[in-house]
Amino acid sequence: METEINEFVEAHYDISAGQISRLEGYGSENYRVETKVGRSFVLKFYRPNDVENLQQLLEAENQLLMTLTADNHNGYPIPQADSEGRLLSFSKQKNRYYRLLSFVEGRLLCEVDHTPELLGSFGIFLGEMNSRMLGFRHLATEAREFEWDLKNLELNRKYIRLIENPSHRKIVEYFFLQYSELVTPNLEQLRKCVIHGDANDWNVLTSEGLVSGIIDFADIVYSPLINDLAIAVTYAIFDKADVIEPALSIISGYHSVLPLRELEVKLLYYLIAARASITVCHAAKSKADGLTEDYIYISANPAVELLEKWIRINPSFFENEVSRALGFEPKLRNGTVESDLAKRHKTASRALSLQFTKPIKMIGAAFQFMYDSTGKSYLDCYNNIPQVGHCHPRVVNAGQRAMAKLNTNTRYLSDVYNEYSENLLARFPDSLSKVFFVNSGSAASDLAIRLAAAHTGRAGIVVIEHGYHGNTRLGIDISHYKYNRKGGHGKNPSIVEAAVPDTYKGKFYDENAGNQFGRELIDQLCSSEIEVAAFIAEPIVGCGGQIPLPAGYLKRVYPFIREIGGVCISDEVQTGFGRLGRYFWGFEMHGVEPDIVVLGKPMGNGHPIAAVVTSDAIAESFETGMEFFSSFGGNPVSCAIGQAVLDVLSDEDLPKNAEDVGRHLKRLLKDLVEKYEVCGDARGEGLFLGLELVIDKGSKKPNTELASFLQNELKERGILVGTDGPFENVLKIKPPICFSVENAEELVSNIKQILEGLDG
């Protein structure tokens, strides 16, 4: 090989070659040629069919390099004319285009420490290079449709499905969604020029602690100017623990020689994410194509790691930090939310509650993270409505597509209605074969009681203390949590209250507690004159303090309810759709089959859809001649979104994640119980967990003050939890079920730090 290349160089360039070495490359065959007089060149061969319009692009690259190296400007490869004066030639013998470039000396950026000074010089070098490119135009670069060009992000969408890890895939999907929403509409307003397109740390050269050169212009394309900076920042912050400060060093250096505009700064967060996403997409494509070269995948893992860090960063925070570093007007002001609060109180009743003493103004979210208006990010540990994660792109896209096509009521036949109904019912026992769609869990609870009354001809309802089943008038009537608290109207005469079967503070607590609590309720019903239509219960009593019904309780109660002519209703609004891990529905945890199931909250991942599932017989009893109709229940958009949620739960195996992470988190919470006197009990299933805080373990008296303190202190640390229970002394932990082991450890570590601080 060395002899052949020597002969080729001497024949075509009149160069007396010495040592020849092969260089890695993607899209070309490269050799370093060291002459006998100490000069070095790079000989490059290109297959003519590898790239569309290859000859024109190589000519454009040569012209650009000649522009950059005019006036003896250093740091770029200089095209060398062959013996016939051509900068680009074609060898019929090799069937290759070829050219010779000067070799740019220096150590690769990936081989040196990334000091702030070095990264600042990188930005300066890039800004100077782009400044020299601003006037350059070439038809080939403007006509190029290139997948690595950030403005053509959508060309890579077809590769997302090839990303094997579902967690990685969804983050890439999310940033594609954000790009289409926020970047695409602004593309035409951005400054454009021919850019390098691949300023990664394998193409950037350094000397004496500063960036001194750049090579490999194979990705040049006519694109928004800001894309070159975004690409450079992306690769430079790979493998960095802190990604903000290194990014600011590069951006500030760039701005010092080529000032950025505010729109460019605003979009930079999403452009960086887009480059990392393309990198992950192409690694997946290469793997699917059977390519094994290590250098193809060298950026894939760091790109994934960056995306996982990036999604935790509030986009507004990043924009604000860049603006501050460049001397722009800050975008965020860490003031109060008093003006927003005043506007709310002007138009809304104060009965509409707010979380926290000092409310948060949220402006965005992604999976288990939320972003507020001050630039802060939060780990969401208790928002149980976005079951598969805030703004999950598949759910969002399903809704967008459906809304763009058809949104009407159920008086018309619809494929999506039928398909979703069948797929939802397939998750239930065969006995539960009919579904009614409504808009909320409250409406579903209301309908469930109406179904029970129609089927039994009775009005009595058995409820559990501290249970909550909705905000309709009927929902409040069956919600002890509502009617028995401040502002409540008291118990309706048709209601039978069952004691909450709490094995931590209740009278029964051993392995037979469920049977004993069940026996107590049966005795109560035997002495009651109320004719029971239904017994309704959550498998885990949420508002009661995350209290799981004890094993055996429903097995004892359900048969008796049916024996006396009633039906059994399982309220799965909070426990359903895989939150409990091993059990897709909460009733499965208890080994029973209800007659009616109430669904809501996570069903649409935040979109208002709910349902009642029941048997043929009960559904038939409801067919009295009075029409049942919900204006929006079961509409095509809601059904499409509901189906997307089911698909994501299955494709990402989120119930299994809830099981695994929930088991780990529950063990960590139990460790707190063992260590701290104020931690009384840790309980729950899957990612439906509670930590009860007490004055001391002996008295088990509720420690409401500590629960509130922990909740607010965690909020200050960027972690959101709720409080619940009759005394608001139970931390409720019900995050989106994409929650990770690392998230669980972060939560408990911070609780521990706060508790340790109390001891100090």
Side-chain angles (χ1 to χ4, degrees):
M1 178 271 292
E2 183 173 338
T3 301
E4 181 184 349
I5 298 300
N6 267 327
E7 291 174 351
F8 187 92
V9 171
E10 290 178 0
H12 293 84
Y13 289 95
D14 297 327
I15 288 176
S16 180
Q19 186 174 346
I20 304 294
S21 54
R22 179 74 181 261
L23 301 175
E24 283 190 341
Y26 189 64
S28 61
E29 182 182 334
N30 308 305
Y31 299 92
R32 179 175 181 177
V33 179
E34 299 181 61
T35 69
K36 295 177 180 178
V37 295
R39 296 185 66 193
S40 291
F41 300 91
V42 177
L43 178 64
K44 302 174 75 72
F45 292 100
Y46 307 86
R47 289 188 293 268
N49 297 323
D50 279 0
V51 177
E52 189 176 357
N53 299 322
L54 175 62
Q55 180 181 352
Q56 292 82 358
L57 285 170
L58 291 173
E59 289 172 348
E61 185 179 334
N62 281 338
Q63 290 179 30
L64 177 61
L65 288 172
M66 296 303 289
T67 300
L68 289 172
T69 56
D71 305 322
N72 297 316
H73 200 281
N74 297 318
Y76 310 100
I78 303 172
Q80 306 295 306
D82 65 10
S83 54
E84 297 183 18
R86 296 174 300 197
L87 299 180
L88 176 68
S89 303
F90 185 79
S91 169
K92 292 183 178 179
Q93 179 182 0
K94 285 182 168 293
N95 191 32
R96 298 283 192 276
Y97 287 104
Y98 65 90
R99 60 183 180 146
L100 192 70
L101 303 172
S102 64
F103 185 87
V104 183
E105 298 287 349
R107 295 185 66 190
L108 293 173
L109 185 60
C110 63
E111 298 174 335
V112 299
D113 291 336
H114 289 189
T115 65
E117 183 182 21
L118 174 70
L119 294 177
S121 75
F122 185 15
I124 291 170
F125 183 94
L126 197 67
E128 291 175 343
M129 179 183 73
N130 282 163
S131 295
R132 298 172 73 84
M133 290 173 154
L134 282 174
F136 182 83
R137 302 290 292 268
H138 195 286
L139 183 61
T141 60
E142 295 184 35
R144 189 176 194 184
E145 194 172 65
F146 188 42
E147 290 178 342
W148 286 91
D149 182 1
L150 296 188
K151 77 174 186 290
N152 292 330
L153 179 68
E154 276 298 316
L155 295 178
N156 299 278
R157 184 176 290 278
K158 56 185 174 290
Y159 304 134
I160 294 178
R161 62 183 177 81
L162 303 176
I163 302 171
E164 294 178 348
N165 186 309
S167 180
H168 301 165
R169 186 168 60 243
K170 73 178 183 182
I171 294 179
V172 170
E173 284 181 301
Y174 172 81
F175 281 118
F176 268 69
L177 172 65
Q178 298 305 308
Y179 187 100
S180 67
E181 292 293 315
L182 301 169
V183 179
T184 301
N186 289 295
L187 283 175
E188 291 307 312
Q189 301 176 53
L190 295 172
R191 292 181 288 177
K192 298 177 182 66
C193 69
V194 174
I195 63 172
H196 179 279
D198 195 19
N200 71 66
D201 49 5
W202 289 80
N203 289 335
V204 176
L205 299 164
T206 69
S207 177
E208 298 181 354
L210 301 175
V211 167
S212 57
I214 192 166
I215 58 174
D216 193 354
F217 284 71
D219 287 359
I220 60 169
V221 68
Y222 186 74
S223 193
L225 171 68
I226 188 63
N227 288 351
D228 237 1
L229 178 59
I231 292 165
V233 171
T234 303
Y235 291 109
I237 61 178
F238 278 177
D239 298 319
K240 300 284 195 303
D242 173 14
V243 295
I244 300 294
E245 289 304 318
L248 294 180
S249 294
I250 300 170
I251 296 165
S252 297
Y254 188 97
H255 181 73
S256 69
V257 295
L258 183 54
L260 294 170
R261 297 177 179 175
E262 290 200 6
L263 178 59
E264 292 168 332
V265 170
K266 185 177 184 64
L267 301 181
L268 198 48
Y269 172 91
Y270 302 101
L271 294 169
I272 291 168
R275 182 60 174 203
S277 297
I278 292 175
T279 301
V280 177
C281 285
H282 275 263
K285 177 183 182 296
S286 295
K287 185 174 182 179
D289 290 343
L291 301 178
T292 59
E293 291 88 342
D294 289 342
Y295 70 88
I296 293 175
Y297 305 103
I298 201 163
S299 298
N301 289 337
V304 167
E305 291 170 5
L306 174 59
L307 290 175
E308 291 174 336
K309 291 176 184 175
W310 211 239
I311 208 162
R312 288 208 64 161
I313 297 172
N314 187 327
S316 297
F317 171 78
F318 182 75
E319 180 188 354
N320 190 69
E321 289 299 288
V322 174
S323 297
R324 179 186 56 77
L326 303 187
F328 291 171
E329 186 73 20
K331 303 301 177 185
L332 303 174
R333 304 195 188 283
N334 293 323
T336 67
V337 293
E338 289 179 358
S339 61
D340 291 297
L341 195 57
K343 289 179 182 178
R344 178 174 171 125
H345 287 159
K346 186 176 180 180
T347 59
S349 165
R350 290 176 186 264
L352 189 65
S353 62
L354 284 161
Q355 189 72 323
F356 302 111
T357 307
K358 183 180 178 182
I360 304 172
K361 181 179 179 179
M362 291 296 186
I363 60 171
F367 305 112
Q368 62 268 51
F369 305 108
M370 301 185 76
Y371 313 128
D372 77 5
S373 60
T374 72
K376 191 170 183 176
S377 297
Y378 298 88
L379 175 62
D380 184 1
C381 301
Y382 86 110
N383 196 333
N384 63 327
I385 297 175
Q387 185 90 335
V388 301
H390 291 277
C391 301
H392 194 294
R394 290 183 64 184
V395 178
V396 173
N397 286 330
Q400 289 176 331
R401 289 193 302 270
M403 195 173 293
K405 182 179 181 181
L406 175 69
N407 192 9
T408 187
N409 59 53
T410 52
R411 286 197 169 100
Y412 302 96
L413 296 177
S414 163
D415 287 339
V416 67
Y417 179 96
N418 289 340
E419 290 166 5
Y420 178 52
S421 298
E422 291 173 359
N423 291 334
L424 179 63
L425 289 173
R427 294 278 189 170
F428 287 92
D430 291 342
S431 60
L432 296 169
S433 53
K434 289 291 190 292
V435 60
F436 296 81
F437 291 115
V438 289
N439 309 128
S440 71
S442 296
S445 292
D446 193 292
L447 177 58
I449 299 302
R450 289 176 58 197
L451 286 166
H455 185 66
T456 65
R458 300 174 176 186
I461 307 296
V462 183
V463 304
I464 290 181
E465 287 179 329
H466 314 305
Y468 174 67
H469 304 287
N471 60 20
T472 65
R473 181 62 189 229
L474 184 53
I476 291 172
D477 279 347
I478 61 173
S479 298
H480 180 269
Y481 173 76
K482 285 291 187 183
Y483 70 69
N484 197 53
R485 286 161 64 97
K486 186 177 180 180
H489 52 66
K491 183 171 76 69
N492 187 291
S494 64
I495 299 298
V496 178
E497 290 176 0
V500 61
D502 183 352
T503 59
Y504 174 60
K505 298 183 301 296
K507 65 172 71 174
F508 307 119
Y509 49 84
D510 61 18
E511 65 276 1
N512 197 40
N515 185 58
Q516 292 170 305
F517 277 115
R519 180 69 260 175
E520 186 176 64
L521 174 56
I522 289 170
D523 291 342
Q524 180 182 353
L525 291 173
C526 287
S527 62
S528 172
E529 296 181 358
I530 295 176
E531 293 188 326
V532 172
F535 166 77
I536 184 169
E538 304 162 272
I540 300 179
V541 185
C543 292
Q546 321 299 93
I547 299 173
L549 300 181
Y553 179 73
L554 292 184
K555 280 194 171 183
R556 188 71 186 267
V557 172
Y558 269 25
F560 183 77
I561 294 295
R562 289 169 177 144
E563 183 181 321
I564 61 175
V567 298
C568 302
I569 303 174
S570 185
D571 184 338
E572 300 281 350
V573 168
Q574 295 196 72
T575 54
F577 293 93
R579 173 162 296 281
L580 302 189
R582 286 185 294 167
Y583 312 103
F584 199 81
W585 309 115
F587 63 79
E588 296 171 331
M589 179 170 62
H590 298 283
V592 297
E593 289 187 12
D595 304 299
I596 300 173
V597 180
V598 177
L599 307 177
K601 289 187 190 296
M603 192 173 181
N605 209 52
H607 177 83
I609 178 174
V612 177
V613 174
T614 190
S615 65
D616 285 343
I618 293 175
E620 187 175 343
S621 297
F622 199 56
E623 296 169 5
T624 61
M626 178 186 289
E627 176 196 33
F628 171 76
F629 179 71
S630 171
S631 294
F632 304 109
N635 70 78
V637 174
S638 295
C639 288
I641 289 172
Q643 183 60 55
V645 171
L646 287 182
D647 291 342
V648 171
L649 286 169
S650 176
D651 294 346
E652 296 182 9
D653 205 7
L654 291 181
K656 183 64 166 62
N657 185 69
E659 177 184 357
D660 295 341
V661 176
R663 183 189 304 112
H664 182 69
L665 177 51
K666 187 175 178 181
R667 184 165 57 246
L668 295 176
L669 294 173
K670 285 187 174 294
D671 289 343
L672 295 179
V673 172
E674 290 182 11
K675 184 171 183 179
Y676 298 101
E677 182 69 15
V678 292
C679 296
D681 189 36
R683 53 182 176 256
E685 188 74 25
L687 284 172
F688 193 125
L689 301 171
L691 177 66
E692 181 149 359
L693 299 162
V694 295
I695 301 297
D696 58 77
K697 286 187 171 71
S699 69
K700 299 183 182 178
K701 289 182 179 178
N703 199 332
T704 304
E705 183 179 352
L706 177 58
S708 177
F709 178 79
L710 272 171
Q711 181 190 31
N712 283 283
E713 185 62 26
L714 286 168
K715 170 203 165 192
E716 294 305 309
R717 293 166 176 245
I719 299 173
L720 301 177
V721 298
T723 59
D724 227 328
F727 303 100
E728 296 290 337
N729 68 310
V730 180
L731 292 187
K732 60 178 177 180
I733 303 166
K734 294 180 285 190
I737 63 173
C738 54
F739 209 65
S740 70
V741 166
E742 292 75 20
N743 299 150
E745 291 175 348
E746 179 181 351
L747 167 63
V748 176
S749 173
N750 276 274
I751 293 174
K752 185 176 180 180
Q753 289 171 24
I754 297 169
L755 293 175
E756 292 286 350
L758 292 176
D759 292 341

